[in-house]
Amino acid sequence: TERIKFMILAHTIVGLMPIDNYQFSWYWLAGSIIPDVDHLFVIYKHKLFSWDKLIDAEKFEDKYNIHFKTKYGHSVFGAIIMTFPILLISTKGALYFFIGYLIHLILDWLDRDEKQYLYPLKIKFRGFLPIFSMPERIFTAFLILFVFYLYIIL
């Protein structure tokens, strides 16, 4: 869907940003995109295998009672659980992964769709931006220019 294209693009761009002495980090990149794995489970569970069904469900989550941002993947709890195995491999990598994950959640906060960031608490969050809004597209374009600046200009 259009939203998926732009938001995954924005999360990936954030993950491509250099950190730690202007170096690329696979941990940072993984942390910035892994939270969206829950979308795949939602697609499979609701059999949204055609583009038309997927686009319609994405645009009208409340109408179909389908939430692509699950409480397990899009929560601080999810960030902690997903970070733990990485902690066993690399403390620094786990920190990068966790921060990338939290930045992903912060970027998603702006969207109108429902999120449960504080799961297992049943507090729900909704942002103010419509899905695939002009501000999202402008922000994504800014991120592209910023990453270009960081890698090429600096």
Side-chain angles (χ1 to χ4, degrees):
T1 68
E2 296 297 319
R3 181 198 168 265
I4 289 173
K5 289 178 189 172
F6 268 83
M7 286 316 293
I8 287 178
L9 179 61
H11 295 309
T12 303
I13 293 166
V14 168
L16 292 172
M17 289 183 177
I19 57 172
D20 193 21
N21 294 325
Y22 294 101
Q23 299 296 312
F24 170 79
S25 169
W26 284 104
Y27 295 109
W28 181 259
L29 176 62
S32 70
I33 58 177
I34 289 289
D36 282 341
V37 167
D38 59 359
H39 291 34
L40 298 175
F41 294 107
V42 172
I43 290 168
Y44 181 76
K45 177 182 176 186
H46 295 283
K47 298 176 177 52
L48 302 171
F49 301 129
S50 77
W51 282 111
D52 291 338
K53 284 183 181 179
L54 182 59
I55 290 168
D56 197 45
E58 207 37 70
K59 285 183 180 177
F60 304 107
E61 285 187 349
D62 289 334
K63 175 182 171 183
Y64 296 109
N65 197 27
I66 296 174
H67 301 288
F68 285 84
K69 295 175 180 149
T70 68
K71 58 190 172 189
Y72 307 109
H74 281 78
S75 65
V76 175
F77 174 77
I80 292 167
I81 295 301
M82 295 296 284
T83 302
F84 183 73
I86 297 167
L87 187 60
L88 301 174
I89 299 167
S90 166
T91 305
K92 191 175 190 181
L95 179 63
Y96 292 160
F97 180 89
F98 187 73
I99 293 171
Y101 204 112
L102 292 181
I103 289 172
H104 178 111
L105 298 180
I106 291 167
L107 288 174
D108 279 353
W109 197 316
L110 300 174
D111 289 337
R112 279 189 193 169
D113 51 357
E114 183 179 288
K115 293 149 298 265
Q116 285 186 277
Y117 288 138
L118 300 177
Y119 176 79
L121 301 177
K122 298 193 185 293
I123 301 169
K124 295 180 181 176
F125 296 85
R126 287 185 183 265
F128 57 91
L129 288 178
I131 303 302
F132 192 57
S133 64
M134 185 57 69
E136 269 187 356
R137 289 187 259 170
I138 290 169
F139 181 69
T140 301
F142 170 76
L143 285 175
I144 291 169
L145 292 173
F146 187 64
V147 168
F148 178 78
Y149 170 78
L150 290 175
Y151 277 110
I152 306 301
I153 307 299
L154 291 180

